[in-house]
Amino acid sequence: MSRPNPIRHHIPSGLPFMYFASDNWAGAHRSIAERLLRESDGFAAAYGASDLDRRIERRFAEVFEREVAVLFVGTGTAANSLSLASVQRPGGITFCHSEAHVIADECGAPDFFSGARLLGVPGAEGKIDPVKLREKIAAYPQTAVQHGRATAVTITQATEAGTVYTLSEIDEIATIAKKDKLPLHMDGARFANALVSLAVSPAEMTWKRGVDMLSFGGTKNGCWCAEAIVFFNPEQAKEMPFIRKRAAQLFSKSRFIAAQFDAYLENDLWLDLARHANGMSDRLRAGITASNASRLAWPTSANEVFAIIPKSAARAAEEKGAKFYEWPVPPATSELLGPEETLVRLVTSFATDEADVDSFLRCLAG
Ligand SMILES: Cc1ncc(COP(=O)(O)O)c(C=O)c1O
């Protein structure tokens, strides 16, 4: 990355942080923190009515090359839940990957806010299997009063498994959803990481593929706390101000979310930060691939790495201060794991340095 790593300004050089638990553990990028500070003076209209809120909403239209409706919220869970709530009908079912954050890690919030149910669809490496999706949708026709009816599909980009749907894979899911007139939502908690991994434009990865609603994440990639719901057809967002307010997600000082996005989007900072995070994962991937004792569990291409490492190496790394999660082993991977091995998830962020990665790789080497 050409920019100096801003999070290091208060850290004595040479001290590695081996923080690979989550990109949520990283701080806020300095440009974003400074932008917040600048916004702290003075007065502005509240509840999303400030000039800044309006300007940043228009900025999203430029980023996506079309008119969009944008609603700022405070968490990714809120962005997902309220997007999905906007398209629900009684007895509705939203299809997602079986290990998606919406179904596994949001405590039922999407079901709670929408009154609908999530139903998991399997698929290798975090991606919905299109054949299985077609079967599941067919099992919940619009007349199925007893079982419930299909109402939406959601995919995660980048996925929870660190993989990225290709454009043609998104096309395939969208075609299946559209055949039954089901809106397609994208959980973009790591949207920027997926975007730079595919090297495509925001428009190409979303509405040009048939995505109707996007949870646009900023928090993991350098914001302090900034998420946005983006509707590619603003007509479909008409109920959203009410849905958001009833979910207690209309921030009175919404301009501070707008201010974060102002700095985030300025001069493509968001893309630089994601490129850096992905690059740090590339370094991890290369080091693990070259190692004798550890290996990649499956290929990933954004800022998450899943590795099979000796349990002794995991303990040694933890003792030296490394932070990471041992991960539940997916059925397809279980036979690859020896009795003395463990599966770990390693997440890099805009604040990860080469020294962090190299120190961790040295721990693995023993
Ligand atoms: C794939 C995915 N979606 C959404 C979220 C948003 O979560 P939160 O509500 O904690 O901001 C996360 C956070 O870990 C995530 O990994």
Side-chain angles (χ1 to χ4, degrees), residues 97 99 123-128 159-165 297-300 330 332:
H97 188 269
E99 285 141 36
E125 293 171 3
K127 300 181 191 178
I128 290 179
T159 74
E160 291 77 359
T163 54
V164 175
Y165 285 91
W298 56 83
T300 58

Side-chain angles (χ1 to χ4, degrees), residues 24 75-78 80 101 106 156 158 160 187 189-190 220 227:
N24 285 325
T75 67
T77 298
N80 289 339
H101 199 269
E106 297 186 358
T156 313
E160 291 77 359
D187 174 352
R190 297 190 178 88
K220 291 177 190 299
E227 307 283 321

